[in-house]
Amino acid sequence: MIEYSTDFSDFPPLPTYEAEWAAVYMEPIVQSGERLTIGVVASDGEYASGQLSISRKALECLYGESADGMLRMMELALQRALRHAKQRFDGQFRPGMHGVTLGKKRKGIGEDLEDIIEQGISLTSSLSGIHMEDDEKTGRDRSMYWLRFKRAMQKVNPNLVPYFGRSVDVQVRGSTISLACDYFSSRLAVNICALSPGYRMSGLFDVASSRIFRLEQLKDHDALIQHHQQAAMMLVIPTESQLADFKPGNQQSFRERVLLLQDMADKKAFPLITVNAPLEGAIKLGELEAA
């Protein structure tokens, strides 16, 4: 009898980031027995965050003209749950409003706090995928990493949140073309992407390259659109300890791709800024705004 052993050496390593999370439930009609998962809150012991799990369009379909009132109630309930998560889920949850409860505290493993929150939403909310905007559907896609930066900026400087996911009109040969920019303010024009070793590295490298090219297009048309923002590319990369979990060949290939992106950005005359997490990136953006 021939025995075969499965080679798992090419499988990417599991994430090492851990946090605790809990679902937030609400009874729209108290004591009716109808309970909705309205969001998820999570804490890693140092930071806490939360996210609603029902889109505005879904609320409008469910509650019609009462959607605005339901949204305000859900946001208030999420804030109360987030306050409890910031205390590391210690003690009894006191929502301060009828019909709101907190689910069982669970442990999650992922890439960051937002990743674990999104996992919790997908596990507990059947309404989370209904009528979600395209950008929210792809929120876990690293090519849309600016969504995580946007949520992290809520903790760093909420005044900068509106500058994420902007479209900028440029004039090209007499035609107006709208170009997407991940972060666009009166001072900065920044595109955001992530790169890591593994089976997705080639695709992520292509996405990052296209982000650099798009920044170049914005920069080339500064004189026409009368914007003078500082252009920059922000790249989310693993820490050295996380890289150590990959094969030496994968590490080498990753470092070469980073150098290629650095060379592309240098030739376009704007910096390539590397960070290890969305919160770190949001802090860096705040520092650039204040510089």
Side-chain angles (χ1 to χ4, degrees):
M1 181 176 178
I2 301 176
E3 294 184 0
Y4 296 94
S5 60
T6 304
D7 181 12
F8 294 102
S9 60
D10 289 331
F11 276 54
L14 291 173
T16 57
Y17 179 87
E18 296 184 8
E20 295 179 323
W21 65 272
V24 185
Y25 301 111
M26 173 184 280
E27 285 184 285
I29 302 175
V30 180
Q31 295 184 346
S32 67
E34 175 194 11
R35 188 178 76 167
L36 299 177
T37 303
I38 64 167
V40 166
V41 292
S43 172
D44 63 2
E46 183 177 3
Y47 298 105
S49 185
Q51 182 181 333
L52 290 178
S53 60
I54 305 177
S55 71
R56 174 59 181 269
K57 287 184 179 180
L59 284 176
E60 290 175 351
C61 291
L62 286 168
Y63 300 107
E65 295 180 355
S66 301
D68 287 339
M70 291 301 302
L71 179 61
R72 287 193 293 270
M73 288 179 60
M74 290 179 180
E75 289 175 339
L76 179 59
L78 186 71
Q79 290 175 9
R80 301 287 174 82
L82 182 57
R83 186 184 307 167
H84 186 64
K86 288 179 179 178
Q87 300 170 353
R88 301 187 181 185
F89 298 100
D90 288 338
Q92 183 179 356
F93 174 54
R94 301 182 184 277
M97 53 196 304
H98 293 296
V100 175
T101 56
L102 197 64
K104 181 181 178 182
K105 181 178 64 177
R106 310 183 192 184
K107 288 187 178 180
I109 299 176
E111 296 175 355
D112 52 35
L113 198 59
E114 305 305 326
D115 184 28
I116 289 176
I117 289 173
E118 288 163 359
Q119 290 179 40
I121 288 175
S122 66
L123 287 171
T124 60
S125 177
S126 60
L127 296 176
S128 62
I130 298 177
H131 294 302
M132 295 293 280
E133 297 296 335
D134 290 342
D135 57 351
E136 292 293 339
K137 283 183 179 179
T138 54
R140 292 184 63 187
D141 188 333
R142 288 182 171 230
S143 67
M144 299 290 287
Y145 222 97
W146 63 267
L147 289 169
R148 296 187 182 185
F149 275 59
K150 181 179 179 180
R151 290 193 286 267
M153 189 61 79
Q154 290 280 5
K155 297 191 282 284
V156 176
N157 187 348
N159 293 327
L160 300 181
V161 170
Y163 298 126
F164 286 91
R166 303 291 290 271
S167 293
V168 184
D169 290 339
V170 297
Q171 296 293 324
V172 179
R173 298 187 177 185
S175 298
T176 300
I177 298 177
S178 184
L179 296 179
C181 187
D182 294 335
Y183 181 90
F184 190 86
S185 70
S186 60
R187 293 173 178 263
L188 301 173
V190 181
N191 273 343
I192 301 164
C193 197
L195 187 71
S196 65
Y199 69 99
R200 295 188 62 200
M201 185 172 66
S202 179
L204 293 174
F205 177 80
D206 292 341
V207 171
S209 301
S210 68
R211 289 287 206 278
I212 291 175
F213 176 68
R214 192 184 302 162
L215 276 177
E216 181 190 23
Q217 289 178 310
L218 285 173
K219 190 170 182 290
D220 287 346
H221 292 86
D222 265 358
L224 295 177
I225 62 176
Q226 296 181 350
H227 289 307
H228 304 283
Q229 287 82 355
Q230 174 190 346
M233 180 72 189
M234 193 164 286
L235 189 68
V236 184
I237 61 173
T239 63
E240 287 300 318
S241 61
Q242 290 170 334
L243 277 175
D245 292 330
F246 289 88
K247 288 182 176 181
N250 289 338
Q251 294 182 43
Q252 178 65 24
S253 180
F254 166 77
R255 297 184 193 280
E256 290 173 352
R257 298 295 178 96
V258 173
L259 287 176
L260 287 173
L261 292 174
Q262 182 72 67
D263 184 61
M264 291 180 197
D266 288 345
K267 289 180 178 178
K268 310 303 181 187
F270 52 79
L272 177 72
I273 303 168
T274 58
V275 296
N276 299 129
L279 183 61
E280 180 186 348
I283 293 172
K284 185 63 178 178
L285 281 174
E287 293 174 350
L288 291 173
E289 285 282 2

